[in-house]
Amino acid sequence: MRATQWMGKNHIEVNEVPDPQILNDRDAIVKISSTAICGSDLHLYDGFIPTMRKGDIVGHEFMGEVVELGKGVGNLKVGDRVVVPFPIACGNCVACEKGLFSVCENSNPNARIPEKLMGHAPCGIFGYSHMMGGYPGGQAEYARVPFADVGPIKVDADLTDEQVLFLSDIFPTGYMGAEVCDISPGDVVAVWGAGPVGQFAVASARMLGAERVIAIDRFDYRLAKAREAGATDVLNYEEVDVLDALQEITAGRGPDAAIDCVGMEAHHPTAAVHAYDRAKQATMMETERPHALREAILAVKNGGTVSIVGVYGGLMDKFPIGSLMNRSLTVKTGQCHVQRYTKPLYERIRNGDIDPSFVVSHTLPLAEAADGYRMFRDKKDECNKVVLKP
């Protein structure tokens, strides 16, 4: 089969590789119909996630048709059309029983690696380094899906791939980012990052009752997409001082909640500040560029909530813990527990509450994956979201 392989920093190739095989009774093989490039894939592409190996198959947002099943999978049949959540979860451990699927205790065979950095290991993730299990990803013609009796959700034939594909990651991730804010009617929510996850966070905050949702980014086309998703206000941080603007919008109080959808490769409009964190990140004196998270913490109201769904990998410098502690802030975060959200969000799509396909800007054949990565990273041609077709 053909698959997208990580060949080194800023180097992606589509090559012939061996077809996946059933290795466990709870496995499925899925013939992929659509797969997408995620913003967190760019962290791999840019070389910021350790334990990648040349030739690793990448991609964790995919869907397709079940073509083979292990004998332990009783909830699916060959021919089913499914969307596959990016966290690999067993469904049986203490974490899974509590709905904390992204910290499954059994799906990461390389748990000893992240334990050294994080204290405990998160779950296995498709196509996202050997630290996260070393599982081949879904930017390919076929993928092996472990614990297929827990993860994949069946979808109806009358919905397009683009309507349901993002149940694999970015729609549930944006929704969880908003849900953990415990939004009440009348709340003001600020969202840092107006990429696809931020757009879904905006849409979700509105669905959950927020009165005003403020999207923050530096690309006008992404801010326009955020307005399409439901943002009442947009701020281009290269044109305004975000903290001052949020103070004015909220009469000096600050937003009720702040959602960080940016993560480790944040940008700062002041060249000297940006250079400081770029240099520390390049020399591995920190693993993150924390501009957006610092600002979110400083901006939110006293007693407010900071929700973090942007991806971070290790350690950051100058974290404003004094603001966090002294102002009674609450932080809620995590890789998304996708399996918790797929069915209710699927019903949202079926009911017409949202059509997630609005985020798609480019559709390319799998063979052009390398071009898709460059386009997405460099924001060429107003690239918002790339879907690949094997």
Side-chain angles (χ1 to χ4, degrees), residues 63 81 154-164 346 349-351 355:
M63 64 174 293
R81 183 176 180 232
K154 291 187 281 189
V155 295
D156 295 329
D158 62 322
L159 295 172
T160 67
D161 278 17
E162 287 73 16
Q163 287 177 289
V164 294
Y346 179 69
I349 297 168
R350 281 243 57 106
N351 294 338
D355 181 352

Side-chain angles (χ1 to χ4, degrees), residues 281-300:
Q281 189 181 51
T283 56
M284 294 306 293
M285 296 176 71
E286 65 176 344
T287 55
E288 333 291 332
R289 299 200 298 265
H291 313 311
L293 181 55
R294 290 180 187 138
E295 195 168 70
I297 290 170
L298 296 175
V300 75

Side-chain angles (χ1 to χ4, degrees), residues 57 88 107-109 124-129 132-137 144 146-147:
I57 299 171
I88 301 169
S107 66
N108 189 343
I125 295 176
F126 291 102
Y128 215 78
S129 83
M132 297 301 183
Y135 292 96
R144 169 181 166 253
F147 302 114

